[in-house]
Amino acid sequence: MEAASERNSKMRLRRKITNPCVKFDEGARYTQWSHAKLSLTKTGLCADAQSYKSWRRLIGADGKQQVCSMSLTAFAESPLVLMQPIPVYLINIDRAADRLAEIERQSGEFGFRFERINGVDGALVPRDQWIDVDHARFERRHGRTILSGEYGCYRSHLAALRKFLASGDDMALVIEDDVALDADFLTRAVATKEAAPTADLIKLVNHRWRGFRATANSRKGDVVGRCLFGPQGSTACYLVTRKGAEKIVKALAVMSLPWDVAIERGWDMHASIFTTNTNIVGFSRLQRSTMIGWRRDYRAAKASPWRRIPAHLFRTLDFFRRIAYILTTP
């Protein structure tokens, strides 16, 4: 009985719809009821409504149905698939279950998909079991020892980039689990790459923007460029290309700086690194529960003043390298 009802529903749908693929322009709204209960608002994405059970209504911003050609059979018989412009990789460790739940909530609200990267929890890895770390060079360059959270962060980002490289995608978005997203973050991210076509990586979240030099404006209104002074801090959200990920994974295979410091050093990786002059995504309230380290942890890890002299020299040299890189790199 149920099978016959399902067949009849499909036949009614075939008679009613001849072009079932729905393409959304910017500002379009996709509303559906029943099983999926999904709403995409002003995402600028293209969605294929392919589940007749979940599909109930497809309307544009003007209230009119928007259609393009697609196989009716695929529409009626395939599961719902949301087409988003680039994949999203979420770095999350097992004990941060509340952060994962928050990202899942945002995913449901704003209609994007993500792949979780099971991050390395540095607090659970004994220091003598750390891999691919140059402790002496880190202390010379940074003036202190490595925090366990920094080690975990570094290994987790490398894992995310390697996962991306194993896919067939040309670019991806990497996010940490304390970000606050919105309905427009994916289209804004893609628009920054369109504005900076030579970019290997674009940082979409920073803590500082001193000496920002604009290069281009995106179609979504974000300004893309580089900063004369750094490090800017944070790798909570960035867009990376396949070529960029290959360069980064090769150049940063061995840890000798914190990840957020190392990732900005395009001159060292022979990579084109850009940033936006404002944050494309924000931070959730869960950011306050840090997974890296507290201020007291950083103070305890500092070397004595005379042993920090090499770090001061390194930062001075990097200051001039950064300026030369920004003034000469396209």
Side-chain angles (χ1 to χ4, degrees):
M1 188 73 178
E2 184 178 347
S5 176
E6 184 173 322
R7 284 195 299 272
N8 291 337
S9 296
K10 289 183 181 180
M11 290 177 66
R12 287 195 298 271
L13 187 61
R14 289 190 178 100
R15 287 194 295 268
K16 185 176 181 181
I17 308 287
T18 57
N19 296 306
C21 171
V22 177
K23 184 174 183 179
F24 297 93
D25 297 323
E26 287 182 14
R29 182 185 300 270
Y30 171 10
T31 306
Q32 67 177 13
W33 291 264
S34 188
H35 301 280
K37 293 182 180 178
L38 176 68
S39 175
L40 291 177
T41 305
K42 295 183 179 179
T43 60
L45 309 181
C46 175
D48 292 340
Q50 294 178 330
S51 170
Y52 88 98
K53 285 185 177 180
S54 299
W55 185 87
R56 291 294 180 272
R57 178 186 284 177
L58 293 158
I59 56 173
D62 56 0
K64 296 180 180 179
Q65 196 164 277
Q66 314 225 345
V67 296
C68 61
S69 62
M70 180 185 170
S71 162
L72 180 60
T73 303
F75 170 72
E77 298 180 358
S78 299
L80 182 80
V81 176
L82 296 179
M83 302 299 291
Q84 62 187 45
I86 54 175
V88 176
Y89 293 97
L90 167 72
I91 294 173
N92 172 256
I93 59 177
D94 290 340
R95 64 186 168 97
D98 54 345
R99 293 185 174 203
L100 177 59
E102 173 58 20
I103 295 296
E104 288 174 337
R105 184 197 66 77
Q106 295 177 43
S107 172
E109 180 178 354
F110 302 123
F112 67 90
R113 289 173 289 114
F114 67 87
E115 181 170 352
R116 179 180 180 266
I117 301 298
N118 189 11
V120 176
D121 191 342
L124 302 181
V125 184
R127 190 172 290 260
D128 59 2
Q129 294 181 21
W130 291 3
I131 60 172
D132 297 329
V133 175
D134 190 332
H135 291 277
R137 195 179 189 204
F138 186 99
E139 186 168 344
R140 286 197 306 271
R141 287 176 149 199
H142 213 56
R144 60 172 174 79
T145 57
I146 305 171
L147 301 183
S148 60
E150 289 177 314
Y151 171 77
C153 175
Y154 198 100
R155 301 305 307 173
S156 300
H157 277 274
L158 281 178
L161 295 184
R162 287 171 177 148
K163 185 72 173 181
F164 160 50
L165 289 174
S167 74
D169 297 301
D170 294 326
M171 58 183 177
L173 206 66
V174 178
I175 63 173
E176 295 177 351
D177 57 10
D178 58 350
V179 294
L181 307 171
D182 60 25
D184 211 25
F185 82 100
L186 274 175
T187 44
R188 288 177 69 186
V190 172
T192 63
K193 183 62 174 75
E194 295 169 357
T198 63
D200 291 319
L201 181 145
I202 304 176
K203 293 187 68 188
L204 305 175
V205 170
N206 296 282
H207 295 320
R208 297 170 290 276
W209 295 268
R210 292 176 56 205
F212 181 83
R213 289 169 59 89
T215 301
N217 286 22
S218 80
R219 59 182 170 83
K220 298 295 290 184
D222 294 298
V223 183
V224 183
R226 295 187 174 109
C227 282
L228 289 169
F229 304 99
Q232 294 179 257
S234 185
T235 47
C237 180
Y238 55 89
L239 180 147
V240 62
T241 67
R242 173 166 294 276
K243 183 176 71 171
E246 289 170 348
K247 293 178 180 178
I248 293 166
V249 166
K250 181 179 179 180
L252 303 185
V254 177
M255 181 179 185
S256 62
L257 284 169
W259 182 258
D260 62 339
V261 176
I263 204 71
E264 292 186 20
R265 303 179 71 250
W267 55 92
D268 190 49
M269 301 181 292
H270 305 289
S272 181
I273 311 298
F274 283 87
T275 184
T276 52
N277 72 333
T278 56
N279 288 341
I280 281 184
V281 305
F283 289 100
S284 74
R285 57 181 176 77
L286 297 173
Q287 184 201 25
R288 293 191 292 270
S289 58
T290 178
M291 297 290 172
I292 303 296
W294 300 98
R295 192 178 297 273
R296 62 178 178 272
D297 300 319
Y298 288 96
R299 284 198 298 264
K302 273 189 176 182
S304 59
W306 69 270
R307 293 184 64 182
R308 294 202 300 269
I309 292 174
H312 293 308
L313 296 175
F314 172 76
R315 289 169 185 167
T316 300
L317 181 59
D318 249 20
F319 168 76
F320 292 106
R321 285 175 173 169
R322 177 186 288 270
I323 291 176
Y325 169 80
I326 289 171
L327 295 180
T328 60
T329 305

